[in-house]
Amino acid sequence: MVGSGTDKTKLLLTGGPTIILVRPQLAVNIGMAARAMANFGLSDLRLVAPRGDLARDDARAAAAGALHVFEGAKLYATLREAVADLGFVWATTARERGQGKRVEAPATALAETAARIAQGEAHGILFGPERTGLDNDEIATADAIITFPVNPAYASLNLAQAVLLAGYEWFRAAHGDAPAFAMVERSPPAPRDMVLSFFDYLEGALESSGFFRPEGKQAVMRRNLRNIFHRVGLTEQDVRTLRGAVVRLVEGPRTAPQTRRRQRPKKETPPEIEADD
Amino acid sequence: MVGSGTDKTKLLLTGGPTIILVRPQLAVNIGMAARAMANFGLSDLRLVAPRGDLARDDARAAAAGALHVFEGAKLYATLREAVADLGFVWATTARERGQGKRVEAPATALAETAARIAQGEAHGILFGPERTGLDNDEIATADAIITFPVNPAYASLNLAQAVLLAGYEWFRAAHGDAPAFAMVERSPPAPRDMVLSFFDYLEGALESSGFFRPEGKQAVMRRNLRNIFHRVGLTEQDVRTLRGAVVRLVEGPRTAPQTRRRQRPKKETPPEIEADD
């Protein structure tokens, strides 16, 4: 079932590694974990002996519409049953647990999992109870360990936030993190002759205004000024806007009756720059 | 003030970009954002016209001991005041907002910010209200945009989770994500002659047991078997453990009175493998 937080007009990503919450204590964390999974296109949630009441309203509210994950969660009595069909299992833990297992950062681990899921493998990630984390027998069930990079003095990561970070790294590895939208150019980049013509006009006006003092510094002052504008990456519209601004500074306010465009006396002077909504 | 969730024996990371929550609606989200910041060593939290009641118990509880961030949050009436001392400002937004600003993924943005903070710049990140996000004037205050990679059909990221992801990428860029602990090797890697001697013993025992059939397949069967064990990356202790296991399979159970170590009859047979706690 697809919940109210889901936009049915867009592609609903599913798949990815199975998320297994082992003995979660608070139902609200299960809801938040479901939401975090949905954010990053994960869909297979498994719960091993959850203690919280999944029917609680606040758990459902915490899922915030990610009901395809929350209501689709599968319940297991034991961890062994929950991982039975998986080919590779990560355990998440904040402390060294002395089990001689490989330990990876989330970015490394999920990149590996994304590559192997693409080859048809079934991977899962274990998350332990809120207070205690996974016990040693539970960690022994896993092939390798993921540990989250955190502030050493403040390392307690909320259960749903740990799921979020795993989901985020899954998404980056499987789908990339290129922004879904790019800078909108309202106008094409200004051709160089348009930019140079603006510089000529600006520098002529500044010259007349006595800006370039002392004389010996004029070349470097022109260069510095040009470089300020080059850093903008000017569009055609940007150049028209700036030129219009300088014209007004030089000429002062227009007086409506004495407009230069006498051939169209009824019409207001057109704006020198396009309206910016 | 350092809160109860903070381990005073460890280095408390601080610094990083300023986190600015603009018109946050729910105090509990401010608490969760403070916790997320503490997790990743961020410490400068600013609130512009927050609507929630910061004195609420649940807001404090959500901060989960990250009181050095939560209680240290600074209040501002306007966004302009909140960003006054910053040299570069990112706005976070989920949608294209038509402002012609550069748009980056969080990993790219925070890598840039980490490099520039290291050079002494002051950077900040704006997060909008829960329901609506930043408005156009607020986005116009920023130099560039961060957008989070998410499932297109389920893009609603909780405010504190967005702060968490920014914090996580700050931490990765500024401090790295190398695991704080590595696989514990209880025993050094087994020297190759120890491994080969085990293979010789194992293969001799399997030969006697009639495992290598048909005859023509013997070479490939030996190779496959050796490769299984090579994949383990065997330690000295691993080889002793496996050798002991094969010995028992070959010789069957020991009968305590007839131990081979007759020179020490009073003592129990020493275990062939070290105890595993």
Side-chain angles (χ1 to χ4, degrees):
Chain A
M1 179 186 156
V2 170
S4 59
T6 306
D7 180 347
K8 293 177 190 174
T9 67
K10 298 204 176 136
L11 176 67
L12 182 70
L13 297 172
T14 57
T18 296
I19 299 296
I20 302 147
L21 306 185
V22 182
R23 300 180 283 118
Q25 299 172 298
L26 300 172
V28 70
N29 282 339
I30 299 172
M32 287 172 65
R35 176 181 184 172
M37 288 175 64
N39 280 142
F40 296 111
L42 298 176
S43 49
D44 188 14
L45 175 60
R46 301 183 185 181
L47 308 173
V48 178
R51 292 184 206 164
D53 177 5
L54 292 177
R56 281 175 62 127
D57 286 346
D58 57 354
R60 220 182 143 80
L67 298 178
H68 63 293
V69 180
F70 185 72
E71 294 183 347
K74 299 176 203 76
L75 286 171
Y76 296 86
T78 66
L79 177 56
R80 182 173 174 152
E81 294 165 272
V83 298
D85 59 335
L86 301 176
F88 191 93
V89 176
W90 297 98
T92 56
T93 168
R95 297 186 307 285
E96 197 285 304
R97 303 296 278 269
Q99 297 210 12
K101 290 188 197 292
R102 184 162 61 93
V103 181
E104 300 289 2
T108 313
L110 273 301
E112 179 180 324
T113 278
R116 292 172 61 178
I117 283 180
Q119 293 169 358
E121 296 189 15
H123 283 215
I125 310 175
L126 309 182
F127 296 84
E130 289 85 340
R131 274 183 206 289
T132 57
L134 295 165
D135 70 27
N136 283 334
D137 284 341
E138 288 159 351
I139 291 173
T141 304
D143 296 279
I145 286 172
I146 295 174
T147 193
F148 296 95
V150 282
N151 193 352
Y154 192 82
S156 88
L157 208 54
N158 167 273
L159 174 57
Q161 291 183 327
V163 172
L164 183 88
L165 294 179
Y168 170 74
E169 288 293 6
W170 154 256
F171 194 94
R172 296 209 318 138
H175 307 292
D177 66 358
F181 55 91
M183 174 159 61
V184 177
E185 292 290 0
R186 297 179 166 200
S187 167
R192 192 52 39 133
D193 64 353
M194 187 177 180
V195 176
L196 293 175
S197 160
F198 166 64
F199 288 163
D200 289 342
Y201 171 70
L202 174 65
E203 290 165 14
L206 289 170
E207 177 96 53
S208 310
S209 311
F211 174 76
F212 294 118
R213 298 282 178 277
E215 191 72 39
K217 293 272 185 191
Q218 178 164 158
V220 69
M221 287 175 85
R222 279 177 194 264
R223 207 153 54 229
N224 290 345
L225 194 65
R226 289 182 174 215
N227 280 335
I228 290 171
F229 289 106
H230 280 312
R231 286 212 300 276
V232 177
L234 292 164
T235 65
E236 290 184 1
Q237 180 54 42
D238 292 335
V239 175
R240 284 194 292 270
T241 301
L242 290 171
R243 189 166 193 131
V246 176
V247 166
R248 286 277 62 77
L249 290 172
V250 168
E251 302 187 358
R254 282 178 211 174
T255 44
Q258 298 165 350
T259 173
R260 282 172 296 168
R261 304 190 187 223
R262 293 184 191 276
Q263 65 273 33
R264 286 184 294 173
K266 292 288 184 214
K267 203 177 167 191
E268 274 208 353
T269 307
E272 276 155 345
I273 65 169
E274 288 172 11
D276 222 35
D277 59 310
Chain B
M1 180 187 155
V2 170
S4 58
T6 306
D7 181 345
K8 293 177 190 174
T9 67
K10 298 206 175 131
L11 176 66
L12 182 69
L13 297 173
T14 57
T18 296
I19 300 295
I20 302 147
L21 307 186
V22 182
R23 299 180 285 119
Q25 299 172 297
L26 300 172
V28 70
N29 282 338
I30 299 172
M32 286 171 65
R35 177 181 183 172
M37 288 175 63
N39 280 141
F40 297 111
L42 298 176
S43 49
D44 188 14
L45 175 60
R46 302 182 185 181
L47 309 173
V48 178
R51 293 184 204 163
D53 176 5
L54 292 177
R56 282 175 61 126
D57 286 346
D58 57 355
R60 221 182 143 79
L67 297 179
H68 63 292
V69 180
F70 184 72
E71 295 183 347
K74 298 173 203 78
L75 285 171
Y76 296 86
T78 66
L79 177 56
R80 182 174 174 149
E81 295 165 272
V83 298
D85 60 334
L86 301 176
F88 191 93
V89 176
W90 297 99
T92 55
T93 169
R95 298 186 306 284
E96 196 286 303
R97 302 295 277 270
Q99 297 209 11
K101 289 188 197 292
R102 185 161 62 93
V103 181
E104 300 289 3
T108 313
L110 273 300
E112 179 180 324
T113 279
R116 291 172 61 179
I117 283 179
Q119 292 169 1
E121 296 189 16
H123 283 216
I125 310 175
L126 310 182
F127 295 84
E130 289 85 340
R131 274 183 206 288
T132 56
L134 296 164
D135 70 26
N136 283 335
D137 283 341
E138 288 159 351
I139 291 174
T141 305
D143 296 279
I145 285 172
I146 296 175
T147 193
F148 296 96
V150 283
N151 193 352
Y154 191 83
S156 87
L157 208 55
N158 167 273
L159 173 58
Q161 290 183 327
V163 172
L164 182 88
L165 293 179
Y168 170 75
E169 289 294 6
W170 154 257
F171 194 95
R172 296 209 317 140
H175 306 293
D177 66 357
F181 55 90
M183 175 159 61
V184 176
E185 291 290 359
R186 296 181 167 197
S187 167
R192 193 50 38 133
D193 65 352
M194 188 179 180
V195 176
L196 293 176
S197 160
F198 165 64
F199 288 162
D200 288 343
Y201 171 70
L202 174 64
E203 290 164 15
L206 289 170
E207 175 95 54
S208 310
S209 310
F211 174 74
F212 294 117
R213 297 285 176 275
E215 191 72 37
K217 294 272 187 190
Q218 178 163 159
V220 70
M221 288 175 82
R222 279 177 194 262
R223 209 153 53 228
N224 289 346
L225 194 66
R226 287 181 175 215
N227 280 336
I228 290 171
F229 289 106
H230 280 311
R231 286 212 302 277
V232 177
L234 292 163
T235 66
E236 290 186 2
Q237 181 54 42
D238 291 334
V239 175
R240 285 194 292 271
T241 300
L242 289 170
R243 189 166 192 130
V246 176
V247 167
R248 285 277 61 77
L249 289 172
V250 169
E251 302 187 359
R254 281 179 211 173
T255 45
Q258 296 164 354
T259 173
R260 283 172 295 168
R261 305 192 186 223
R262 292 185 188 277
Q263 64 276 33
R264 287 185 294 173
K266 291 288 182 210
K267 203 176 169 194
E268 272 207 355
T269 309
E272 277 153 347
I273 64 169
E274 287 173 11
D276 223 33
D277 60 308

